[in-house]
Amino acid sequence: MRRFTTLIFTVFAVVFTAIHAQEPRQSVGLVLSGGGAKGIAHIGVIQALEDNDIPIDYITGTSMGSIVGGLYSMGYTPAEMLDLILSRGFSYWSTGKIDPNLTYYFNREAESPSMFSFPLGKKSAAADSVPASVISPQPMSFAFMDLFSAYTAQCGGDFDRLFVPFRCVASDPAAKRKHVFGSGQLGDAIRASMSFPVVFQPISIDGVLYYDGGIYDNFPVDVMRDTFAPSIMIGVDVSTEDLGPQTTLMDQIENLVIQNNDYELPADEGIKLKIDLNEFSLLDFPAARRIYQVGYDHAMSMMDSIRGRVVSRTPKSTRNLERAAFKSATPYLRFDKVEVSGASPRQNEYIKYLFRPRSDEDTIGIPRAREAFYRAISSGKLQDLYPQAIYNDSTGLFTLTLKAAVKNRFRGSLGGYISSSTSSFLYISADYSTLSFRSLNAGISAWIGQTNMAGMVNGRIYLHTPLSSAIGVQAVVSRERFYETDHMFFEASEPTFIINHEYFGRAFWSFATGRLGMVEIGAGYGALRSSYYRNNRLDSYEQGRIRSELKLGQAFARYTSSTLDAPNFPTSGHSYMAAAMGMIGSGQKWVQGEIKTRNYPTLGNHFALGIETDIMLSTRKLMDTYSASITTAPAFIPTPAANNAFHPALRANSFLSAGLIPVYKLNANLSARVGGYAFVPLRKIEEVGNDTPRYGRWFSNPEFFGEADITYNFPFASLTGYLNYTTVPGAKWGVGLSFGIYILPPKFLR
């Protein structure tokens, strides 16, 4: 059926071509410059040309011009190109972020305050700890294979056989020259052409490392002239004009990299469209629609001149038939073989295993390949995993080749949280990991801060079973201090208000529940010690500290899932946690359950509405004293800033809480939010007489917390300025600054 459809389209295309063969025919070459996101204007120009039946017979492009030109040469319409750039997928691979919905949650590294990691041991090197580019190449690598491989197969690797003959320009700095691609893997050629230094990782082709073509030829008029010799050229220049000293980092890099380029197009050879896009930056992809419109409007303003020079016309009907015929002959991207190289034989075998077909299939398609690819990189153990699709003419199927680069087994991490209040800490960790059918993750971590001090040792062995599973152990020693105040730039002084210590260990078995969920079942034993002043009043220091201790055995089951784009200040995604625990020891026994949800559905391009809930139910009895009861009770902590001080009114053994958080996303990294939260203890823990506890009335004494913040999410941390309000103790306002990732070590009872 597919072959019959192709035949029909081909016959119609031939007929239409024959009908117009007698008409005078100029050949038209379209030259597209580089310019980052400003190159989206090329799409608007192409749309204007199509709207006026201006033919495009050849395309040459550099950098973003090569992406637009390559897509058009494959038969993409301007509308399809714009839809691609506006898509969710493009926003991820163009920024190097991994779509949380594609990660394999079970394999994902546990959340931590780490900001960057580096290799340890004999093979470590300073250069290995610095990424080759600001933007991670892995999401782009798979996206380019998906986009371009089938069209490479369709044209047999000859760019002259594409829907529109195409050339793109890359740079070979080692040889100090440009390189023109007219054959090979189309995706690799375009990837080489757009590998802007620092921003995108360069690509190696046949042993040569290629960078952005704009270094040596950002406006490939000469390539068009020398290769295709069209009757007339239309050149589109979206490069940044020299505006003198540049203040932004990207502008400075652009000025350093793009030098001594020739942007001339002689009037007797064609028409040049110089489009003013200086208000936009190289990475301003969120402004795609505006940039597209600027390109379209500029081309339309020049259309009389273009139509006066270009006498040939290609009717829309003819162009659409030819495009449909070309696309119909493009093979489906489906794989019957997988080959892995670059790692050890055992590691290669393991990665290949992830890409195995399902039990009822002999081949895999793109959805299955994408699932396996992101499962492989979710662990964070691969420095790179580069995919290519090689077409087999005899079978009509592809071989998926994967070149892996594995990170050093021994790695260190640094991170933490810097706050204007008392919550700052430094985070240090050392980890050992292997990549195999029975992978091992082991590590030691430390939190060093004024309020929080902790050490953790953990290990996990992944089992080679049909159901993804693992066994693990964890041991934690921690000290948490609370002060009477959480004022900005507070300097701690003794005596400390409350000190809580935890010492515990636990073992668990975990298994995956689909791609986005995980269940843990385990048991543990811990000692919880609290030191505090009677009645929690600073005027009673002379009475000396009171100490309490719990020694408990624990059994637990927990389900977790998360697609949040940031742990502290998310703007999209969701997280779910449901846990049940049973505790026994120190003359007590109880069970508790908790369900915690965080949902951030998007409402248009710039808005999200966060909805958070936390329900804790417990059969726990009160301890001998009010102080011991309240200091060991679970706390309501809706934001990092809410944990700066000890608030008895925000602690309870059982409670309900909810928050509504409207978020306005100014751009991909900057957001503003205003959150309102309510906390309702099922029965408040009250003090009667001299440190005697009792439960209060049901659903009494609700408390409220509100916070407004402006946050900039870097790839490795968040910078936040906040203003908050809490109803306890009394109406109280707080203001502060923070930088980092606020993630504390695990706690025994939550």
Side-chain angles (χ1 to χ4, degrees):
M1 182 66 185
R2 181 177 175 84
R3 292 181 177 176
F4 178 76
T5 304
T6 300
L7 178 62
I8 294 296
F9 276 125
T10 303
V11 169
F12 272 102
V14 170
V15 170
F16 269 84
T17 301
I19 291 173
H20 295 281
Q22 298 180 353
E23 298 178 3
R25 190 68 170 87
Q26 282 176 306
S27 59
V28 180
L30 182 65
V31 181
L32 305 177
S33 79
K38 291 176 279 189
I40 298 169
H42 295 319
I43 303 174
V45 171
I46 293 173
Q47 183 66 71
L49 296 176
E50 286 201 349
D51 287 347
N52 288 273
D53 295 334
I54 305 298
I56 301 173
D57 299 295
Y58 312 104
I59 296 180
T60 60
T62 296
S63 195
M64 189 64 186
S66 73
I67 296 179
V68 174
L71 290 171
Y72 190 78
S73 73
M74 294 170 5
Y76 272 59
T77 67
E80 289 172 336
M81 287 190 281
L82 186 60
D83 286 344
L84 172 65
I85 289 173
L86 292 171
S87 68
R88 178 184 177 94
F90 182 91
S91 70
Y92 279 108
W93 61 256
S94 65
T95 58
K97 299 178 181 179
I98 295 177
D99 185 345
N101 291 293
L102 295 177
T103 61
Y104 193 66
Y105 183 78
F106 183 75
N107 280 3
R108 197 171 71 177
E109 294 180 285
E111 287 187 338
S112 76
S114 174
M115 296 183 190
F116 66 94
S117 65
F118 47 89
L120 300 172
K122 295 181 179 180
K123 295 184 179 180
S124 65
D128 189 33
S129 66
V130 180
S133 60
V134 174
I135 293 175
S136 171
Q138 293 175 337
M140 182 179 292
S141 296
F142 190 91
F144 269 49
M145 182 199 70
D146 184 14
L147 277 171
F148 298 108
S149 295
Y151 295 96
T152 298
Q154 205 266 26
C155 71
D158 181 357
F159 298 175
D160 285 340
R161 294 170 54 192
L162 290 165
F163 174 62
V164 177
F166 172 69
R167 295 290 186 275
C168 65
V169 179
S171 296
D172 179 1
K176 296 188 177 353
R177 62 178 178 84
K178 69 182 180 186
H179 182 88
V180 180
F181 284 96
S183 62
Q185 288 284 335
L186 181 59
D188 285 359
I190 294 173
R191 178 79 174 272
S193 180
M194 56 153 291
S195 293
F196 194 84
V198 181
V199 180
F200 298 109
Q201 183 171 297
I203 182 173
S204 178
I205 302 176
D206 297 328
V208 178
L209 202 61
Y210 291 104
Y211 288 81
D212 192 288
I215 297 174
Y216 295 116
D217 190 356
N218 202 38
F219 193 48
V221 170
D222 57 338
V223 177
M224 176 64 73
R225 180 191 300 117
D226 298 341
T227 306
F228 299 116
S231 305
I232 188 169
M233 288 184 275
I234 300 173
V236 188
D237 178 10
V238 298
S239 62
T240 302
E241 294 180 355
D242 185 6
L243 300 177
Q246 302 295 303
T247 57
T248 69
L249 177 61
M250 288 309 305
D251 286 340
Q252 294 176 44
I253 294 174
E254 184 181 13
N255 283 342
L256 288 171
V257 172
I258 310 292
Q259 299 186 42
N260 302 319
N261 268 282
D262 184 3
Y263 292 96
E264 295 299 318
L265 174 57
D268 62 336
E269 295 186 75
I271 301 170
K272 178 181 175 181
L273 280 63
K274 174 59 182 172
I275 306 177
D276 182 6
L277 294 160
N278 290 317
E279 64 176 293
F280 304 102
S281 70
L282 282 174
L283 300 178
D284 207 358
F285 290 101
R289 290 191 183 277
R290 291 170 54 203
I291 297 172
Y292 165 88
Q293 194 63 46
V294 171
Y296 182 87
D297 292 343
H298 185 87
M300 291 301 294
S301 71
M302 298 281 293
M303 195 52 63
D304 288 344
S305 297
I306 295 171
R307 291 174 65 89
R309 296 286 300 274
V310 181
V311 298
S312 298
R313 299 289 182 267
T314 299
K316 182 178 181 180
S317 57
T318 301
R319 183 173 56 249
N320 288 343
L321 277 171
E322 292 174 346
R323 178 180 281 129
F326 178 84
K327 285 188 171 183
S328 68
T330 305
Y332 291 118
L333 199 57
R334 195 161 188 87
F335 308 98
D336 63 344
K337 296 180 182 178
V338 178
E339 298 176 355
V340 185
S341 63
S344 72
R346 189 63 171 166
Q347 291 169 335
N348 290 340
E349 186 180 350
Y350 169 71
I351 295 171
K352 182 178 179 178
Y353 171 81
L354 299 178
F355 288 82
R356 68 193 186 281
R358 303 190 189 280
S359 58
D360 59 339
E361 295 181 323
D362 297 323
T363 61
I364 64 172
I366 277 294
R368 174 76 179 104
R370 181 183 294 108
E371 177 186 330
F373 179 86
Y374 279 95
R375 179 175 178 177
I377 68 174
S378 291
S379 67
K381 299 177 182 181
L382 291 172
Q383 193 76 33
D384 198 8
L385 186 65
Y386 193 79
Q388 278 192 329
I390 310 300
Y391 187 61
N392 188 330
D393 286 303
S394 62
T395 64
L397 298 170
F398 292 79
T399 296
L400 176 60
T401 67
L402 299 153
K403 187 176 182 180
V406 182
K407 291 181 179 179
N408 197 328
R409 291 185 176 185
F410 293 94
R411 301 192 67 84
S413 297
L414 287 175
Y417 182 77
I418 302 172
S419 173
S420 56
S421 65
T422 60
S423 301
S424 300
F425 61 82
L426 172 68
Y427 175 79
I428 307 171
S429 73
D431 301 283
Y432 175 84
S433 64
T434 62
L435 183 67
S436 69
F437 288 96
R438 291 181 175 85
S439 298
L440 168 66
N441 287 7
I444 181 170
S445 309
W447 288 255
I448 306 169
Q450 182 174 297
T451 299
N452 292 280
M453 292 279 289
M456 180 174 70
V457 178
N458 64 282
R460 178 176 294 195
I461 298 175
Y462 292 86
L463 306 176
H464 184 44
T465 57
L467 177 68
S468 296
S469 62
I471 55 175
V473 294
Q474 181 186 74
V476 177
V477 177
S478 69
R479 184 216 65 195
E480 188 176 31
R481 308 171 74 170
F482 292 100
Y483 302 91
E484 188 188 24
T485 179
D486 60 349
H487 291 168
M488 193 171 182
F489 307 119
F490 168 70
E491 182 178 352
S493 61
E494 293 292 341
T496 306
F497 195 34
I498 294 171
I499 304 177
N500 289 330
H501 292 89
E502 288 193 356
Y503 313 87
F504 67 87
R506 53 191 171 199
F508 56 86
W509 172 59
S510 58
F511 58 91
T513 56
R515 191 176 69 253
L516 299 177
M518 177 177 68
V519 170
E520 291 180 313
I521 301 171
Y525 181 82
L528 286 67
R529 298 171 182 170
S530 297
S531 173
Y532 46 88
Y533 289 98
R534 187 177 299 277
N535 298 327
N536 297 326
R537 291 193 299 269
L538 296 183
D539 60 5
S540 57
Y541 288 155
E542 66 278 1
Q543 299 181 23
R545 284 189 177 275
I546 306 298
R547 289 175 171 81
S548 62
E549 182 175 7
L550 286 174
K551 294 182 179 179
L552 299 169
Q554 176 191 82
F556 65 89
R558 182 186 299 111
Y559 169 83
T560 56
S561 173
S562 178
T563 64
L564 295 177
D565 61 346
N568 295 147
F569 303 99
T571 61
S572 66
H574 68 261
S575 72
Y576 305 121
M577 188 280 292
M581 293 185 182
M583 268 68 64
I584 185 170
S586 298
Q588 297 196 38
K589 58 181 179 180
W590 75 90
V591 295
Q592 68 182 48
E594 184 177 14
I595 298 175
K596 188 173 184 178
T597 68
R598 303 175 75 190
N599 284 280
Y600 283 80
T602 56
L603 305 175
N605 293 328
H606 294 282
F607 288 95
L609 182 61
I611 303 171
E612 299 188 1
T613 63
D614 192 357
I615 302 173
M616 171 73 78
L617 301 175
S618 174
T619 63
R620 184 177 180 180
K621 297 180 180 179
L622 297 174
M623 299 183 67
D624 293 337
T625 66
Y626 168 79
S627 300
S629 299
I630 204 68
T631 55
T632 59
F636 171 61
I637 307 172
T639 70
N643 199 38
N644 289 342
F646 186 92
H647 297 308
L650 299 181
R651 290 174 171 260
N653 291 328
S654 299
F655 61 82
L656 309 175
S657 70
L660 193 66
I661 309 98
V663 181
Y664 180 73
K665 293 178 278 190
L666 287 82
N667 56 45
N669 301 103
L670 185 63
S671 63
R673 74 192 64 217
V674 178
Y677 306 86
F679 170 81
V680 183
L682 265 64
R683 301 186 72 182
K684 183 181 178 181
I685 302 174
E686 299 178 338
E687 182 182 13
V688 183
N690 188 20
D691 206 22
T692 301
R694 73 174 183 185
Y695 278 126
R697 292 182 293 110
W698 289 88
F699 301 105
S700 60
N701 304 104
E703 302 290 352
F704 301 93
F705 179 87
E707 183 170 294
D709 66 72
I710 297 178
T711 298
Y712 190 91
N713 282 318
F714 295 92
F716 52 87
S718 297
L719 175 65
T720 301
Y722 61 86
L723 173 69
N724 58 38
Y725 171 86
T726 182
T727 54
V728 293
K732 185 176 181 180
W733 291 89
V735 62
L737 300 169
S738 66
F739 175 77
I741 304 173
Y742 190 78
I743 296 177
L744 297 177
K747 298 185 75 67
F748 188 60
L749 297 183
R750 293 193 73 173

